[in-house]
């Protein structure tokens, strides 16, 4: 059976190759800092469950130290030349996006097939992680198709991946760290404290007010913490489970899924979500570092209101 461990192994192997290529990249004056950073990240993927809590904590502190002391840089990995990329773009146009579409299509159709056809009885995938595993399968399929179709140099995918990760830098691990922070907050009882405060604000029996506080709270905490996955454990413990699900009898699937969408609205409006908002501004060399956020607010606020109404009308049918 293919489990989530296979996906961790795949990710760890990728970061391990990034570390090796970084160490060999003489064009990067900080190549050994990059090699150490991606090597430690590879170690966390490949052996994190064996390191224990203390070992993983030390590993994270090492990652923070490498980033905090400015030991990460950018090299010039050899991939295809600018002229080759321009020629491919002129010849193929938007067809170049087809491999990228393979990934979500594989995840969606594969999940549906595994859940609603006899394919699911094969037991080839761990049923708890089917979608994530198929996401990895889709990425590998897209890579194979791209290599067979475009015929780039053999190391081009790895060098391009390393170039992108070097451009993003330490912000690449921000989502995982913020999600971990959300779990720490939940274990520390922050959700219970917020639940007590919300109980003083929400009128007894007022379902709409509870939904509004939950949806808006998801967006607000996401803006503070930079990641909806970090906000979700807190708001679920504070309002989602005790009030919306247990007291009002709401549909847990709707409350969880649409609540996360409300959190994603907060992601669109915060510089804390650096990998989504600040990094693109830097890569595009925008004069206004908050230009991406400003462009997204007009979408985020109406979408947040729609999510609030969706929870209210769908979760309590």
């Amino acid at each position: 059976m293919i489990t989530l461990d296979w996906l961790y192994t795949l990710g760890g192997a990728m970061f391990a190759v990034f570390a090796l290529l970084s160490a060999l990249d003489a064009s990067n004056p900080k190549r050994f800092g990059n090699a150490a950073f991606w090597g430690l990240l590879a170690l966390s993927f490949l052996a994190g469950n064996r390191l224990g809590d203390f070992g993983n904590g030390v590993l994270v502190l090492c990652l923070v130290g490498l980033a905090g002391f400015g030991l990460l840089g950018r090299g010039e990995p050899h991939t295809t030349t600018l002229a080759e990329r321009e020629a491919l773009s002129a010849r193929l146009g938007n067809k170049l996006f087809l491999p990228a579409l393979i990934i979500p299509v594989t995840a969606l159709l594969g999940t549906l097939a595994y859940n609603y056809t006899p394919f699911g009885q094969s037991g080839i995938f761990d049923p708890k992680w089917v979608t994530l595993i198929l996401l990895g399968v889709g990425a590998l399929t897209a890579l194979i198709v791209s290599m067979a179709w475009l015929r780039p140099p053999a190391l081009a995918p790895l060098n391009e991946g390393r170039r992108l990760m070097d451009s993003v830098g330490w912000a690449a691990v921000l989502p995982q760290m913020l999600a971990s922070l959300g779990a720490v907050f939940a274990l520390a009882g922050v959700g219970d404290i917020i639940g007590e405060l919300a109980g003083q604000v929400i009128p007894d029996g007022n379902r709409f007010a509870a939904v509004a506080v939950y949806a808006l709270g998801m967006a607000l905490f996401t803006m503070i913490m930079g990641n909806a996955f970090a906000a979700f454990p807190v708001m679920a413990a504070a309002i989602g489970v005790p009030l919306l699900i247990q007291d009002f009898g709401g549909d847990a699937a709707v409350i969880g899924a649409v609540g996360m969408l409300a959190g994603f609205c907060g992601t669109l409006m915060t510089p804390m979500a650096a990998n989504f908002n600040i990094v693109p501004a830097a890569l595009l060399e925008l004069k206004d570092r908050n230009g991406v956020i400003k462009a997204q607010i007009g979408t985020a606020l109406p979408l947040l209101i729609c999510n609030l109404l969706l929870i209210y009308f769908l979760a309590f049918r």
Side-chain angles (χ1 to χ4, degrees), residues 51-212:
L51 295 177
D53 294 340
F54 182 79
N56 281 297
V58 172
L59 188 150
V60 169
L61 290 176
C62 290
L63 290 174
V64 172
L66 288 168
F69 285 104
L71 299 178
L72 302 182
R74 293 177 60 178
E76 297 295 335
H78 173 70
T79 58
T80 52
T81 65
L82 178 60
E84 289 173 332
R85 291 195 290 270
E86 289 179 344
L88 281 173
S89 177
R91 179 164 60 89
L92 299 175
N94 290 333
K95 293 179 182 178
L96 287 171
F97 291 101
L98 291 176
L101 295 176
I102 292 175
I103 302 174
V105 169
T106 300
L108 175 61
L109 297 183
T111 301
L112 292 175
Y114 202 80
N115 288 329
Y116 299 105
T117 71
F119 176 51
Q121 299 174 7
S122 65
I124 190 173
F125 300 135
D126 184 340
K128 294 187 298 184
W129 306 107
V130 170
T131 301
L132 283 177
I133 294 171
L134 285 168
L135 197 65
V137 172
L140 289 175
T141 304
L143 174 61
I144 294 170
V145 169
S146 298
M147 293 295 290
W149 180 30
L150 304 175
R151 300 186 181 279
L155 290 179
L158 293 170
N159 277 322
E160 284 290 353
R162 178 169 66 91
R163 179 188 61 78
L164 179 61
M165 295 306 293
D166 284 352
S167 299
V168 175
W170 59 266
V173 300
L174 191 60
Q176 295 95 312
M177 290 191 174
L178 290 172
S180 300
L181 180 62
V184 171
F185 276 17
L187 290 173
V190 175
D192 296 333
I193 296 173
I194 295 175
E196 293 177 4
L197 295 175
Q200 299 175 13
V201 175
I202 301 172
D204 290 340
N206 193 322
R207 189 170 65 192
F208 183 81
V211 170

Side-chain angles (χ1 to χ4, degrees), residues 16 97 155 218 245 308:
F97 291 101
L155 290 179
M218 276 294 302
I245 296 175
L308 189 160

Side-chain angles (χ1 to χ4, degrees), residues 213-238:
V213 171
Y214 172 68
L216 297 177
M218 276 294 302
L220 179 61
F221 263 83
T222 299
M223 293 177 68
I224 295 172
M225 304 173 79
N227 192 301
F229 290 99
F232 184 74
V234 176
M235 294 308 300

